[in-house]
Amino acid sequence: MPRTTTLECPGCPPLRALTFDSLGLIKVIESRGERGTPQVVERWGDPVSSKCVLAASFDDRKKDPLLAVARKNREVEVVNPLNGEIHVVFSNVGEDGFQPEDDAISGLHLFRRERSSGSCTLLTCTSKGNASMRSIGVDKSTADSASISVTKTWKVCGSGNVLCSKVDGSENYAVFGGKGVEVNLWDLENSTKIWTAKPPPKNSLGIFTPSWFTCTTFLSNDDHRKFVAGTNSHQVHLYDISAQRRPVLSFDFRETAIKAITEDQDGHTIYTGNGSGDLASFDMRTGKLLGCFIGKCSGSIRSIARHPELPVIASCGLDSYLRLWDIKTRQLLSAVFLKQHLTNVVFDSNFVDKEVAATAQNANEIQTTEVQTEDEMRTLPVKRKKASKEQREKKKKSEESKETIVLKSKKKSRKHKREICDDS
């Protein structure tokens, strides 16, 4: 039986996420309201096991966003992430004689800086190390008339299998690694290798264990010299190409392979998921474990995504659940069961909940009208109310009593003066 934990989920803020699974389906999950429950609102594609999504890259700009998807049959699709419309479909089968199962796509990146109206640039890398860059002319009317041209091709490795790749924030450098492939850094503009990690030394028994990297990410979007890599032997390595060829920091995380790593926006925190469903955050300045996320996943974690604006991360994997977590408290906000084994998840940072925006606008309008009415009340002249009959009678009596008191006091003073005069 899988290990599960029953937790109260408080709900999550308004967001939109796209998930990809082993049957090739793309599902859109949206959460509406301040503390809403995420739900599947759209499903794109047909369930076919040969179209399993292996990699995905998302350019979530406000105007004309694009989504690139690499499938198991070595097809690459460029999709509109707003409605699921396919712009371009092309096959990555080369002339090397490898079948799709032998040389599947292991890395994919959709360039943002080289985007222009009606065109985009894609970087693909296969498990045998065949990397290529393509310039694609996106025609929104039909997917068959798109122009595709290969601009660069190179070989990442001579042997082994490439399992992971990542492009830095400036999109000038890319890191590759895999089973029997040491992590190496490439200059994409010149298609040249600028750095390679040194193999690990032999152990105390003199046995050499070859490297097996499963995931990698850059520590910061502004610095391509530091990147983090997870291994199949449940280790996390921090590399600094300006310091040395071996890791500057290494530590173990539990007892199963590291399957997913993503970086935080602060430039020193990473989120790590392993094959047994453990999710934790680390400070890579010291290697300290900041804490594990509350709520055990019952399957291997295959993808972690950090929301660009909200303090939320998403994780998905073989337990078919999309889980949303609060970064600050490390508590589970919500979980959605999606039936298939999940391979990737991405966030749409430009999603705006219309209901929340409308309520906020109404609240602002009500507040402004209240301020205006208060100002008007201050400027308007205040009319005096007419006194009632009883009040007028009371006032009259009080005035009469005052007059009688004054008269009595005057009479007394006159009498006193007369007595004084008589005595004298």
Side-chain angles (χ1 to χ4, degrees), residues 164-185:
C164 57
S165 65
K166 184 72 174 181
V167 178
D168 75 321
S170 65
E171 297 185 329
N172 294 322
Y173 303 93
V175 61
F176 302 91
K179 185 178 181 181
V181 180
E182 295 293 336
V183 284
N184 50 82
L185 192 67

Side-chain angles (χ1 to χ4, degrees), residues 20 24 26 44-46 51 53 55-57 66-71 73-80 84-91 105 108 110 120 122 124 136 143:
F20 312 88
I26 303 175
W44 303 331
D46 298 322
K51 289 190 174 183
V53 177
S57 181
L66 282 180
L67 172 69
V69 177
R71 300 186 181 273
N73 57 2
R74 290 188 69 176
E75 283 187 352
V76 179
E77 298 176 358
V78 179
V79 185
N80 186 347
E85 180 184 355
I86 298 175
H87 293 324
V88 181
V89 180
F90 65 91
S91 179
I105 297 174
L108 177 69
L110 177 63
C120 64
L122 273 174
T124 58
I136 302 172

Side-chain angles (χ1 to χ4, degrees), residues 139-314:
D139 189 359
K140 296 182 181 180
S141 59
T142 174
D144 298 331
S145 63
S147 61
I148 303 171
S149 61
V150 180
T151 57
K152 296 177 184 178
T153 58
W154 69 92
K155 192 78 172 175
V156 173
C157 60
S159 61
N161 293 324
V162 177
L163 300 179
C164 57
S165 65
K166 184 72 174 181
V167 178
D168 75 321
S170 65
E171 297 185 329
N172 294 322
Y173 303 93
V175 61
F176 302 91
K179 185 178 181 181
V181 180
E182 295 293 336
V183 284
N184 50 82
L185 192 67
W186 286 73
D187 185 351
L188 296 178
E189 186 176 353
N190 302 318
S191 302
T192 55
K193 186 190 297 185
I194 60 175
W195 184 86
T196 306
K198 198 172 183 179
K202 296 179 182 180
N203 59 13
S204 59
L205 300 176
I207 300 173
F208 172 72
T209 304
S211 300
W212 189 341
F213 294 97
T214 55
C215 52
T216 182
T217 187
F218 286 92
L219 194 59
S220 172
N221 290 328
D222 302 328
D223 189 5
H224 70 277
R225 296 172 298 176
K226 295 180 181 180
F227 58 89
V228 184
T231 69
N232 194 62
S233 56
H234 56 86
Q235 290 183 334
V236 179
H237 299 314
L238 172 63
Y239 290 92
D240 187 354
I241 66 172
S242 61
Q244 59 188 28
R245 292 178 59 194
R246 284 209 169 106
V248 295
L249 179 66
S250 295
F251 55 86
D252 292 344
F253 177 52
R254 301 296 169 88
E255 298 178 354
T256 54
I258 308 296
K259 292 294 184 180
I261 283 181
T262 191
E263 76 283 358
D264 197 88
Q265 298 171 352
D266 57 9
H268 55 79
T269 304
I270 65 165
Y271 305 99
T272 305
N274 64 5
S276 60
D278 299 301
L279 181 63
S281 58
F282 290 89
D283 188 349
M284 295 307 296
R285 295 173 295 185
T286 59
K288 181 182 178 181
L289 173 65
L290 299 178
C292 293
F293 286 77
I294 303 171
K296 179 71 176 179
C297 302
S298 58
S300 174
I301 296 175
R302 294 305 170 95
S303 180
I304 304 172
R306 167 72 161 89
H307 197 283
E309 298 175 359
L310 301 173
V312 175
I313 64 169

